Amino acid sequence: MSFLGYKDIIEEGDLILAYLNRDTMKPIVINATETLNTRFGSFSHLSMIGKKYGTQIASDKGYGYIHLLQPTAELWTLSLPHRTQIVYTPDSSYITQRLGITSGSRVIEAGTGSASFSHSLARTVSDKGKLFTFEFHKPRFEEAKREFEEHGILGVPVTINHRDVCNDGFEIEDVELNATAIFLDLPSPWTAIPNLPKVISSDERVGICCFSPCIEQVDLTIKALQEHGWTSIEMVEIQGRRWEAKQVMVREADDAIERLKDVKRRKLEGIEKKRKYYSDNGIKKEDLVPENTDAETEEQKSQRMKLLEDEQEKTKVSKTEFNPFGRGLRIKEGEEGYSWVKVSKNEGEIKSHTSYLTFAYKQPAFVKK
Ligand code: SAM
């Protein structure tokens, strides 16, 4: 099981993300002797082995359902155990493209934290590239290392180092880091910036992104970047919002008139049918009363109920065919034969916790060792 590739079938030892509902996803490692207990029921791991990733399975007692999802960097970000604040996908995807990180890139990251961004970076650089990630907090370093190992990315492409990068720099014995992209998610990135020249590529353009929640940190970071020869400095803030796009049927005034005429026609048709039914069966309205009183005998009551059923059956009016304003024939969004307009709606609330992203670059000619 590796975050670098995909597989079809779930096997013993695989990591799966059990999708319970929109807000809950549980990472589990398949162990044939264990059971996942959820509020939707219990699911034995044995029942998951041999299933295709993406399958929906029923609980052991058959009353609840979950989906068995393949781990991806994006889903891991949503389900990982938090040890720190993390970088979410709207930020990580933007940073990745702005720094030009791709398969084969050599990237430095500090600190590792909960390794949310590390998983995304590892998948992007792939087995052709390198991610050198640094964490100075021992328990976090150990947890992240264990996760990288379990997820099949330790060594290739991830190297994790237990290090205070502000005081001790980024150099690794016997390794030429030659990084072309740097990501710093640290309380004081300006103290780590002076340590970068020794570990960045001197013959390629190098990009840096510093992720800081406060504008005062941005200020100090920009000063340090300028002092150390970084150029094209720009600060960006990502405000992640969901956009909903759909097609809405075009409703003309003629449709409204047609609809009102249809309602009237069906009403008259119903009254007429009912009237005819009473007259064909020689029923006077008074014959149907008294209803549900002591005066009504059991026989009268059952006769009344039967008449009511017959009446409902025979006076049924055909369902309206096309009704753009409400009930009627069900029409699928975008169906041919109707006219549609494309609309989109912007969610008011900002979904991602974000920081200020300060970007800067060094051109090959300016890199000094
Ligand atoms: N980007 C990470 C993620 O997406 O999960 C979260 C990083 S977290 C906000 C910041 C981490 O930097 C913490 O785990 C902290 O221990 C580590 N850190 C702070 N100062 C450091 C330093 N000087 N050297 C190495 N790591 C440091």
Side-chain angles (χ1 to χ4, degrees):
M1 172 75 240
S2 167
F3 268 67
L4 297 188
Y6 292 95
K7 60 184 289 197
D8 270 351
I9 305 294
I10 297 167
E11 293 170 293
E12 174 83 7
D14 279 352
L15 170 71
I16 63 150
L17 301 179
Y19 179 93
L20 309 186
N21 62 23
R22 223 182 242 256
D23 306 311
T24 330
M25 222 171 343
K26 278 186 184 281
I28 56 169
V29 176
I30 299 291
N31 175 341
T33 61
E34 288 181 10
T35 295
L36 169 70
N37 294 308
T38 75
R39 63 192 150 111
F40 301 107
S42 299
F43 301 83
S44 64
H45 289 202
L46 205 53
S47 70
M48 303 175 193
I49 294 175
K51 295 277 183 328
K52 264 191 152 186
Y53 274 104
T55 306
Q56 186 188 48
I57 59 161
S59 71
D60 296 347
K61 289 201 173 141
Y63 55 80
Y65 298 90
I66 59 170
H67 282 87
L68 311 174
L69 301 186
Q70 176 126 199
T72 62
E74 291 72 22
L75 294 179
W76 182 246
T77 290
L78 295 176
S79 57
L80 58 78
H82 281 229
R83 302 180 281 271
T84 59
Q85 285 275 21
I86 64 166
V87 175
Y88 287 92
T89 301
D91 285 313
S92 63
S93 54
Y94 182 78
I95 298 164
T96 303
Q97 70 86 13
R98 274 263 340 226
L99 294 182
I101 301 169
T102 180
S103 172
S105 295
R106 298 173 72 83
V107 182
I108 289 175
E109 179 197 35
T112 315
S114 305
S116 163
F117 197 15
S118 316
H119 280 77
S120 166
L121 288 168
R123 187 200 47 195
T124 306
V125 302
S126 81
D127 53 4
K128 296 186 188 73
K130 271 283 177 196
L131 171 65
F132 305 101
T133 184
F134 296 83
E135 173 58 59
F136 77 170
H137 184 269
K138 191 84 191 283
R140 276 181 218 144
F141 157 78
E142 276 163 359
E143 271 296 286
K145 190 171 176 194
R146 186 187 52 76
E147 269 170 10
F148 293 145
E149 181 141 42
E150 278 176 15
H151 299 167
I153 51 179
L154 187 66
V156 180
V158 181
T159 304
I160 182 164
N161 305 274
H162 179 224
R163 174 89 57 84
D164 177 343
V165 293
C166 299
N167 288 314
D168 304 322
F170 297 89
E171 282 169 284
I172 303 173
E173 215 177 293
D174 298 331
V175 181
E176 275 282 313
L177 270 67
N178 257 335
T180 54
I182 326 287
F183 176 67
L184 301 181
D185 184 358
L186 301 167
S188 54
W190 57 92
T191 55
I193 288 167
N195 300 331
L196 287 170
K198 289 184 186 147
V199 287
I200 59 179
S201 169
S202 50
D203 42 34
E204 279 175 272
R205 184 180 191 243
V206 180
I208 184 169
C209 173
C210 301
F211 191 81
S212 303
C214 306
I215 202 74
E216 291 78 4
Q217 290 169 301
V218 174
D219 212 18
L220 291 166
T221 300
I222 290 175
K223 281 192 185 109
L225 287 169
Q226 283 169 333
E227 272 167 28
H228 291 88
W230 295 83
T231 57
S232 310
I233 301 172
E234 194 176 291
M235 194 273 283
V236 176
E237 189 190 7
I238 306 289
Q239 299 201 340
R241 283 197 179 96
R242 213 193 305 264
W243 281 82
E244 197 185 307
K246 59 178 180 180
Q247 299 187 80
V248 175
M249 192 184 283
V250 177
R251 294 161 178 180
E252 305 287 355
D254 284 354
D255 287 334
I257 295 165
E258 211 35 63
R259 165 85 186 126
L260 290 172
K261 279 188 186 161
D262 184 51
V263 170
K264 193 172 170 191
R265 179 188 58 74
R266 290 188 308 124
K267 198 170 161 190
L268 288 174
E269 205 177 291
I271 295 169
E272 205 39 58
K273 280 193 177 175
K274 206 184 260 182
R275 204 176 279 150
K276 187 166 181 315
Y277 177 78
Y278 284 132
S279 111
D280 288 355
N281 289 281
I283 304 165
K284 290 189 203 117
K285 267 209 162 173
E286 313 82 81
D287 290 348
L288 297 172
V289 293
E291 295 174 7
N292 284 331
T293 64
D294 289 346
E296 188 179 40
T297 65
E298 277 305 311
E299 198 186 337
Q300 281 171 324
K301 189 175 175 183
S302 76
Q303 194 192 7
R304 178 169 62 79
M305 294 308 286
K306 173 135 192 2
L307 282 172
L308 201 67
E309 277 167 24
D310 285 357
E311 181 187 311
Q312 277 170 354
E313 186 55 36
K314 297 202 173 169
T315 58
K316 239 191 216 166
V317 175
S318 64
K319 240 184 154 190
T320 186
E321 282 282 281
F322 165 55
N323 171 12
F325 297 95
R327 279 196 229 147
L329 190 69
R330 244 184 117 83
I331 295 160
K332 279 201 202 124
E333 190 182 314
E335 203 170 300
E336 275 182 31
Y338 305 95
S339 72
W340 301 90
V341 63
K342 288 180 179 148
V343 294
S344 62
K345 203 172 78 182
N346 183 351
E347 208 177 42
E349 196 192 327
I350 297 170
K351 271 279 170 328
S352 59
H353 153 78
T354 189
S355 280
Y356 298 113
L357 313 180
T358 308
F359 290 94
Y361 300 89
K362 268 199 190 196
Q363 304 303 334
F366 298 114
V367 177
K368 278 192 211 130
K369 290 256 173 176

